[in-house]
Amino acid sequence: MPGLPPLAPFRPRLLADLRGYDGGRFARDLGAGVTVGIVALPLAMAFAIASGLPPQAGLWTAIIGGLLVSLLGGTSVQIAGPAGAFIVIVYGIVERYGVANLLISTASAGVLLFLLGLFRLGALVRYVPVSVVIGFTNGIAVLIALSQLRDLLGLRVPHMPANFFGQMATMGRHLDTVNPWALLLGALCVLGLFVWPRLWATDSRFRRQLDHLEVPGALRATSRVPGPVVALLTLSLLAWALKLPVETIGTRFGGIPQGLPAFALPDFSWETVRLLVTPTLTIALLGAVESLLCARVADQLADARKHDPNQELMAQGVANAVVPFFGGMPVTGTIARTVTNIRAGAASPVAGMVHSLTLTVVVLAAAPLAFHIPLAVLAGVLLFVAWNMGEWREFARLKHFSNHYRLMLLSTFSVTIVFDLTVAVELGLVLAVVLFVRRQRDIFSAEPVRREDGRQTWRLYGSLFFGAVTKIDPIVAEVEAAPGPLHLLLDAHLMVSLDTTGLDALEQLHKALRRRGGRLEIVGLQPQPASLMARSGFAGRLAEATGDGQ
């Protein structure tokens, strides 16, 4: 249709990156893909379990969703899959609507994400204020940590509610069921995840001592094994060898199926879709924000072309529309795995495809071993993820920012924890708009300037819009108080913009002057105010009145 912007072209980044692709780049992609695939293994299971789903839901989400986003996405090095940010959302949807409706919400969100990209709306996500993003990210991190306390402490809680106060009350009532072995495993996991990378840092004492000793290459190679994998293997083996009385994936879920997932259609109806509008919008919004924030981080770290936000949203849409039919959960870009991919030397989306293949091989070959993984260890992994996910230094830096920034960040953070992410983002955006209007209103001013030729002059600064029209009231009051006809001159060369409400205020000022036999003259108009006045006919009416007065 004429007048509408063109639709975004469907051009996966993979096609461009494969031009001139050679063996050297493939070697880099192969190493990075295997590395990030191993890192993704414990995280995918942990995210699914924390969301109230079986562990295989996270694994197949990482495999299928990650593969589709790498094939079709708009970035070169981003890794997609289940993300910690979705834990709270997915758990709440499962508790309120059930797993079948989660799948329908995810597929519907996928369609919405695809349309956002198709209609070139990817850039709109950048309009979300950083204070809102930090607020809900930190709030989600707190909720993730809270949700893992049951498994970390080994509490015998048959069912955990989805809301903050319900979870606190439930765990408080079951504190007498703490399992010290589970707590020990979880604490060792968290401690190990903090110590492991520091142990192998180039400036660590341990690393310097190894450099002076003849240490076998196999031992040095362990430095490249990701911390979560080391924790998973060593602590699972410890729990199995000592026969510790702790809950495992096997005792709660019966293990992980050793085979490919089956395609299955959820029970779909339009009536159900209508009831799931809020969950669908929540998944789509969070997926868009997370994936595009991750893509921006990748742009800063990787030596590659900048991402295409619209193509990325279309790829995320396809992934989220497909994964639910294999029992998966929402897909989005994941910052931790993307950074791991970049640091491991990824050169193209092929690394993301290798990551999916690596996970597939591990699941098919080693699924029975997952039976013995303690849930307390996975809880420790997620506590570490939550700690790294939050931008806690921002709270200490609040004193350096305005009250507007503090209000948006703290209100979004608090509402995310106490109520709901959707409400928090809505509140944050509403506050951002209100505070922006207030700031722009404060910028606008109308100052009187006395003239020797008898004309009363006012100088206008800033934007005259609906939030600032009250600043015209002193001019109106002066017109009404004048003893006789008044020739009013508005100097508008510093008035940068004008909206219809501001134009109406000028119209009313013009009419008030005409009723008293005076006239209004506006000089120095910038292009935008001049255009609006001309299109509305106000400029013509001013010219006629000036002619009558002459």
Side-chain angles (χ1 to χ4, degrees):
M1 294 178 62
L4 292 178
L7 300 179
F10 193 82
R11 294 176 185 161
R13 180 60 57 83
L14 178 65
L15 299 178
D17 285 346
L18 286 181
R19 295 175 192 148
Y21 197 73
D22 54 25
R25 293 177 68 191
F26 176 72
R28 291 169 56 193
D29 284 336
L30 180 63
V34 171
T35 300
V36 77
I38 295 172
V39 170
L41 178 68
L43 296 178
M45 291 189 293
F47 291 151
I49 292 172
S51 302
L53 301 171
Q56 61 266 27
L59 290 172
W60 290 116
T61 299
I63 291 169
I64 300 172
L67 177 64
L68 288 173
V69 171
S70 293
L71 278 171
L72 307 175
T75 68
S76 296
V77 292
Q78 179 161 279
I79 300 296
F86 275 112
I87 289 176
V88 180
I89 302 301
V90 173
Y91 189 85
I93 294 173
V94 170
E95 287 296 301
R96 187 174 304 174
Y97 302 100
V99 175
N101 288 329
L102 167 68
L103 302 181
I104 294 174
S105 293
T106 304
S108 301
V111 174
L112 184 56
L113 282 167
F114 186 88
L115 293 175
L116 287 175
L118 183 64
F119 289 103
R120 298 179 179 270
L121 299 177
L124 291 180
V125 176
R126 297 184 180 180
Y127 296 154
V128 179
V130 66
S131 54
V132 174
V133 174
I134 293 172
F136 78 67
T137 301
N138 286 5
I140 289 172
V142 171
L143 289 176
I144 291 173
L146 177 65
S147 70
Q148 296 312 296
L149 292 182
R150 176 182 70 163
D151 290 335
L152 181 76
L153 300 175
L155 300 178
R156 297 175 186 171
V157 179
H159 177 74
M160 281 287 284
N163 64 83
F164 171 76
F165 294 110
Q167 289 181 351
M168 294 294 291
T170 300
M171 287 189 291
R173 290 194 299 269
H174 292 83
L175 282 178
D176 56 338
T177 65
V178 171
N179 184 335
W181 295 111
L183 179 59
L184 175 63
L185 287 175
L188 287 174
C189 178
V190 174
L191 179 63
L193 291 174
F194 276 104
V195 170
W196 183 256
R198 293 165 177 79
L199 191 68
W200 292 101
T202 54
D203 58 347
S204 72
R205 181 180 298 179
F206 176 76
R207 186 66 178 267
R208 288 198 300 269
Q209 289 179 348
L210 287 183
D211 291 338
H212 293 295
L213 301 174
E214 294 184 2
V215 178
L219 179 59
R220 290 182 180 276
T222 60
S223 64
R224 293 192 290 271
V225 180
V229 176
V230 174
L232 206 66
L233 292 176
T234 56
L235 295 177
S236 297
L237 182 62
L238 178 66
W240 173 78
L242 299 180
K243 295 182 171 54
L244 298 181
V246 294
E247 194 172 16
T248 67
I249 287 179
T251 58
R252 181 179 294 183
F253 300 101
I256 296 175
Q258 191 173 14
L260 297 174
F263 180 88
L265 289 172
D267 188 13
F268 178 87
S269 71
W270 285 112
E271 279 298 318
T272 304
V273 172
R274 289 175 56 192
L275 295 174
L276 298 174
V277 171
T278 299
T280 297
L281 292 176
T282 303
I283 293 173
L285 173 64
L286 185 57
V289 171
E290 282 288 309
S291 62
L292 295 186
L293 284 177
C294 180
R296 290 175 65 183
V297 171
D299 286 346
Q300 296 168 1
L301 297 178
D303 183 19
R305 290 169 51 200
K306 301 300 181 184
H307 75 281
D308 178 348
N310 297 314
Q311 182 63 41
E312 185 62 27
L313 286 185
M314 287 191 281
Q316 297 287 343
V318 172
N320 279 285
V322 171
V323 164
F325 296 109
F326 295 93
M329 57 191 290
V331 181
T332 189
T334 57
I335 293 178
R337 276 159 278 173
T338 297
V339 172
T340 301
N341 191 41
I342 294 170
R343 290 176 176 169
S348 77
V350 173
M353 298 160 63
V354 173
H355 139 268
S356 296
L357 180 61
T358 302
L359 275 174
T360 305
V361 172
V362 171
V363 170
L364 294 179
L369 300 179
F371 187 95
H372 303 289
I373 297 176
L375 296 180
V377 175
L378 290 179
V381 171
L382 283 186
L383 283 174
F384 185 73
V385 169
W387 173 257
N388 287 323
M389 179 180 175
E391 299 187 44
W392 312 114
R393 291 189 180 91
E394 292 299 317
F395 290 124
R397 296 176 61 221
L398 282 177
K399 59 185 178 182
H400 302 300
F401 296 99
S402 67
N403 289 332
H404 292 178
Y405 182 92
R406 298 174 195 166
L407 178 61
M408 286 194 291
L409 192 154
L410 292 177
S411 60
T412 307
F413 173 74
S414 303
V415 174
T416 298
I417 294 175
V418 177
F419 293 103
D420 182 76
L421 174 65
T422 308
V423 177
V425 174
E426 290 172 351
L427 174 65
L429 292 177
V430 169
L431 281 175
V433 171
V434 171
L435 295 175
F436 176 78
V437 169
R438 180 179 175 181
R439 187 177 294 113
Q440 293 302 308
R441 181 204 65 190
D442 293 342
I443 291 174
F444 180 81
S445 65
E447 299 179 359
V449 180
R450 298 294 173 182
R451 298 273 296 239
E452 296 180 356
D453 56 9
R455 291 184 296 178
Q456 175 60 48
T457 301
W458 287 73
R459 185 171 293 138
L460 306 181
Y461 298 86
S463 299
L464 179 54
F465 71 115
F466 66 90
V469 291
T470 56
K471 299 289 188 73
I472 302 295
D473 290 348
I475 306 177
V476 176
E478 183 179 59
V479 170
E480 293 176 345
L486 181 66
H487 181 187
L488 182 64
L489 175 68
L490 296 182
D491 181 355
H493 76 280
L494 293 178
M495 186 177 72
V496 294
S497 66
L498 177 71
D499 74 352
T500 53
T501 306
L503 178 64
D504 181 70
L506 295 179
E507 290 257 23
Q508 299 306 316
L509 180 61
H510 171 58
K511 291 176 182 178
L513 284 164
R514 292 285 287 170
R515 284 195 300 268
R516 290 166 174 77
R519 64 191 179 94
L520 175 64
E521 184 180 356
I522 304 178
V523 298
L525 283 170
Q526 297 285 340
Q528 188 274 332
S531 174
L532 178 58
M533 289 184 183
R535 286 182 283 113
S536 66
F538 180 55
R541 290 189 289 276
L542 279 181
E544 291 174 5
T546 302
D548 293 343
Q550 293 175 344

